[in-house]
């Protein structure tokens, strides 16, 4: 897998039936290693090791329903009260992040009401904070560390 714009992390890998899997510390299981999964696993480690978010507040690859359509978010970080602090949308490194990616995470946020949004393809990272009253997001240099 290609080098990403994240710190270097140690991962557990497994080979089975000619497929490589990576261990997901959130789901506590091995998952097939695809380019988007490589980005997701780096992002999870970044959130835990650099931003100090507790593993217990992180959720990965869960289904949500938006306008009767079933969607899956990549990463969500909860506040201790159960509200959503951050949504992360991960793309494979070869996928350019364009307006449609921001539209996708904004649609997810209509249902989830996160304070912060992050979009990454492992190479480029974009961070936003939500202004719910003005119904728009503001770009940030980074997301806040866990307090």
């Amino acid at each position: 897998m290609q080098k990403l714009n994240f710190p270097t992390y140690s991962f557990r890998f497994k080979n089975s039936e000619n497929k490589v899997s990576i261990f997901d510390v959130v789901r506590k299981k091995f998952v097939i290693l695809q380019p988007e999964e490589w980005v997701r696993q780096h992002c999870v480690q970044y959130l835990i090791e650099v931003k100090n978010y507790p593993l217990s507040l992180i959720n990965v690859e869960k289904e949500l329903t938006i306008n009767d359509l079933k969607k899956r978010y990549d990463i969500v970080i909860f506040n201790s009260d159960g509200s959503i602090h951050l949504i992360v949308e991960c793309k494979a490194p070869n996928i350019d992040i364009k307006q449609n990616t921001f539209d996708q995470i904004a649609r997810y946020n209509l249902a989830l009401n996160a304070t912060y949004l992050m979009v990454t393809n492992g190479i480029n990272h974009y961070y936003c904070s939500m202004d719910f009253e003005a119904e728009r997001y503001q770009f940030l240099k980074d997301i806040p560390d866990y307090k």
Side-chain angles (χ1 to χ4, degrees):
M1 286 282 155
Q2 96 180 64
K3 173 92 176 92
L4 301 177
N5 189 13
F6 281 108
T8 302
Y9 300 110
S10 294
F11 295 105
R12 289 173 46 202
F13 299 98
K14 176 174 88 170
N15 269 319
S16 176
E17 299 173 20
N18 293 329
K19 290 190 176 158
V20 177
S21 295
I22 187 169
F23 189 76
D24 181 330
V25 296
V26 176
R27 292 178 273 185
K28 297 179 177 58
K29 67 179 185 177
F30 282 93
V31 293
I32 301 292
L33 182 57
Q34 302 283 352
E36 184 178 310
E37 191 62 46
W38 184 237
V39 172
R40 183 170 25 253
Q41 292 306 316
H42 275 80
C43 192
V44 166
Q45 290 304 314
Y46 170 77
L47 292 167
I48 293 168
E49 294 187 21
V50 176
K51 293 304 196 173
N52 298 311
Y53 286 96
L55 180 59
S56 61
L57 296 179
I58 301 174
N59 206 311
V60 172
E61 278 271 294
K62 288 285 196 263
E63 192 173 89
L64 70 152
T65 304
I66 300 169
N67 298 329
D68 296 326
L69 297 173
K70 298 209 179 300
K71 302 288 183 183
R72 292 183 88 71
Y73 61 71
D74 286 308
I75 304 169
V76 162
I77 295 184
F78 291 92
N79 292 306
S80 53
D81 67 3
S83 63
I84 296 179
H85 179 72
L86 169 72
I87 306 171
V88 182
E89 179 60 31
C90 299
K91 298 294 184 191
N94 64 319
I95 304 293
D96 290 333
I97 295 174
K98 297 183 178 167
Q99 185 62 46
N100 61 338
T101 309
F102 290 102
D103 293 345
Q104 177 184 2
I105 198 169
R107 278 193 304 275
Y108 290 2
N109 206 32
L110 290 173
L112 299 174
N113 294 314
T115 308
Y116 296 96
L117 308 177
M118 176 179 174
V119 176
T120 182
N121 62 3
I123 307 301
N124 300 301
H125 317 297
Y126 300 93
Y127 313 97
C128 308
S129 66
M130 292 302 302
D131 180 343
F132 290 103
E133 286 185 19
E135 295 182 352
R136 59 191 186 109
Y137 44 83
Q138 177 179 344
F139 284 92
L140 306 170
K141 290 191 186 312
D142 201 351
I143 53 169
D145 292 352
Y146 180 75
K147 293 177 180 57

